[in-house]
Amino acid sequence: FCNWMVKQRHASHNPVRGWDKLSEPDSEYRRHLEPEEARRLIVAAEFGETLIGRTNRGRQQLEQHGTDLPEEVRWIITGHDRAVLYRVAIETGLRRGALERLTVLDFGLGSDPTVQVPATVGTKNPKTLIIPLKRETAKILNEYFSDRVPTAPAFRLAPDYKMADIIRHDLAVARAQSIDESQSAEERAKRHASDFLAAEDATGRRV
């Protein structure tokens, strides 16, 4: 900020130039998914239930009568929607805001598949990004986009505050499936005690 003040001629010099930066802990203590965790998350989502966001009135209607009021449904995300979204998010490293603003037109799914992320799509780098995609991912996206116009949103997402809940839901399903695959009580206990597919590990790091 002080360098900017000098550059804009709002200050004659930078009074903190040469100072050492204080170390500070990360405000978000995070961990990445290991490859096998990522694979299982995508599979769990692919075969998972459709998740529906409803208003309070919509939830009451469902609880009391077992039916939906269409006007009270805010969003619907199928398991396949989530699997495709997770695959692209993990492969590209794009944040939620960037993924939400992408359109079908931003994807080039030919022999050298890429996704183009305009600078206005919430990237820290003020330049358009062109990110390569795996051919397997391109094939999946070709099928996923087959019934959409080029200007349509590429992905279906829930509101910002709900996406973390959705990821935790799919992580819990994938983790339960992994534990259920155990061949012995000892192996089951070992998997249950591990941080594999845990939304938060023993040291407090969150996926």
Side-chain angles (χ1 to χ4, degrees), residues 124-159:
K124 290 185 175 181
N125 189 331
K127 296 180 181 179
T128 295
L129 299 177
I130 298 179
I131 303 173
L133 296 170
K134 295 178 180 178
R135 290 183 181 179
E136 181 185 355
T137 301
K139 181 180 178 181
I140 292 170
L141 289 172
N142 259 322
E143 295 175 0
Y144 189 62
F145 296 153
S146 62
D147 61 347
R148 301 198 213 174
V149 298
T151 55
F155 303 109
R156 297 182 177 94
L157 291 91

Side-chain angles (χ1 to χ4, degrees), residues 53-55 57-58 61 68-75:
R54 303 175 177 86
T55 63
R57 182 165 175 256
Q61 170 74 16
D68 262 321
L69 295 173
E71 68 275 13
E72 301 301 325
V73 173
R74 290 292 177 259
W75 49 266

Side-chain angles (χ1 to χ4, degrees), residues 64-153:
Q64 295 173 8
H65 305 286
T67 58
D68 262 321
L69 295 173
E71 68 275 13
E72 301 301 325
V73 173
R74 290 292 177 259
W75 49 266
I76 299 174
I77 304 180
T78 68
H80 185 53
D81 288 333
R82 302 196 303 278
V84 174
L85 175 66
Y86 294 158
R87 177 183 290 273
V88 174
I90 291 167
E91 191 170 323
T92 63
L94 292 175
R95 295 171 180 232
R96 181 197 179 281
L99 292 164
E100 182 178 39
R101 295 182 182 90
L102 288 175
T103 66
V104 173
L105 194 61
D106 291 318
F107 289 82
L109 302 176
S111 57
D112 293 310
T114 61
V115 56
Q116 180 172 289
V117 188
T120 55
V121 185
T123 58
K124 290 185 175 181
N125 189 331
K127 296 180 181 179
T128 295
L129 299 177
I130 298 179
I131 303 173
L133 296 170
K134 295 178 180 178
R135 290 183 181 179
E136 181 185 355
T137 301
K139 181 180 178 181
I140 292 170
L141 289 172
N142 259 322
E143 295 175 0
Y144 189 62
F145 296 153
S146 62
D147 61 347
R148 301 198 213 174
V149 298
T151 55

Side-chain angles (χ1 to χ4, degrees), residues 11-79:
S12 59
H13 67 285
N14 181 350
V16 298
R17 185 175 181 180
W19 288 18
D20 292 329
K21 183 179 179 180
L22 290 174
S23 61
E24 53 183 320
D26 291 335
S27 58
E28 296 181 280
Y29 194 37
R30 296 177 290 189
R31 77 176 184 91
H32 65 273
L33 288 173
E34 296 295 338
E36 179 61 11
E37 289 180 301
R39 186 191 69 80
R40 282 180 173 270
L41 172 65
I42 292 170
V43 171
E46 182 68 56
F47 296 99
E49 63 183 313
T50 294
L51 300 180
I52 302 174
R54 303 175 177 86
T55 63
N56 288 335
R57 182 165 175 256
R59 285 193 293 271
Q60 291 173 0
Q61 170 74 16
L62 184 67
E63 291 171 0
Q64 295 173 8
H65 305 286
T67 58
D68 262 321
L69 295 173
E71 68 275 13
E72 301 301 325
V73 173
R74 290 292 177 259
W75 49 266
I76 299 174
I77 304 180
T78 68

